[in-house]
Amino acid sequence: MVSRSTLAGPDTGDPGPAVIAAAARVDAEVVLVRPAKARNLPANVRAVGRVPLDQVLPHAAAFVHHSGAGSVLGGLAAGAPQPATTGAGDRRHNAELLARRGAGLAPAAKAIGAAELTRLLTDGALRAAAQEVAAEIAAMPAPAAVVPALERLAGG
């Protein structure tokens, strides 16, 4: 699955063009969510509009995105290896943290090629680290359980 930022700007870190260019050399079905460009797609690529990522990510073998905090967290909660692209603002930091944890790669958006996509799909260590983080997230208390304790701490 491939997604891009919902924010407009000169450096959105959109990995879509690089993935489209490499997709024909990768043995996988690629789904582009809200692509900026959806013309002349390889046979193994399809474009969709907005989708509820929390519902579709658990079915994705990998998640390629712009490294926004919500995308990184959503991918980790689903246990999907991610080549989060390095970009502006917190995106570089998010991508580097993901790579240091072993749950993904941190290439520049234009540097995502067939080798990186294939590694995401076949590297057992990336998948294991992503699934380990997903288990850690799942073990955390639900917000409804934490809020009362926070309210007490705040004197509320």
Side-chain angles (χ1 to χ4, degrees):
M1 178 171 298
V2 182
S3 181
R4 64 185 177 95
S5 178
T6 56
L7 302 175
D11 184 15
T12 62
D14 182 4
V19 172
I20 291 168
R25 299 184 315 276
V26 178
D27 183 21
E29 182 177 345
V30 177
V31 177
L32 300 173
V33 178
R34 302 176 21 267
K37 175 185 141 185
R39 301 180 305 277
N40 303 319
L41 298 176
N44 63 330
V45 177
R46 81 170 80 165
V48 299
R50 291 188 179 270
V51 296
L53 291 179
D54 64 321
Q55 293 177 27
V56 296
L57 277 174
H59 305 286
F63 183 33
V64 182
H65 56 81
H66 66 291
S67 298
S71 295
V72 171
L73 183 58
L76 287 171
Q82 306 170 58
T85 58
T86 57
D90 68 338
R91 296 175 192 168
R92 176 170 304 283
H93 178 72
N94 296 341
E96 290 170 354
L97 284 173
L98 183 66
R100 272 201 308 271
R101 179 59 175 86
L105 309 173
K110 294 178 182 175
I112 295 175
E116 290 77 20
L117 294 173
T118 299
R119 180 174 174 206
L120 275 176
L121 299 169
T122 61
D123 187 323
L126 288 175
R127 178 157 311 287
Q131 290 175 346
E132 185 176 290
V133 174
E136 292 169 8
I137 292 170
M140 292 178 174
V146 175
V147 169
L150 292 175
E151 289 175 334
R152 283 192 299 278
L153 289 172

